[in-house]
Amino acid sequence: MNIDDLVRRLKNPRSMVCGVAAMTADKFAWSCLWTRVVWAVAAFMNPAFVLLVYFVLALVLPKWKPGY
């Protein structure tokens, strides 16, 4: 696997684990690549808190409607 394959995989909106990064990028019209990079950096810096937030968002984001 080279860097181009990694970047292509990170840009792909298909879910990797729970799909929280892809759903967050879609909800706010952000880049899927950079959303995943930010999640990875945050997880490296504080894994316990990010894991908790990640799974809470996995439960909340599918039910969240814009404008509320």
Side-chain angles (χ1 to χ4, degrees), residues 43-64:
F44 180 74
M45 296 177 75
N46 192 350
F49 179 70
V50 171
L51 185 64
L52 176 67
V53 169
Y54 191 84
F55 285 112
V56 166
L57 286 175
L59 296 172
V60 172
L61 277 177
K63 297 173 186 154
W64 183 31

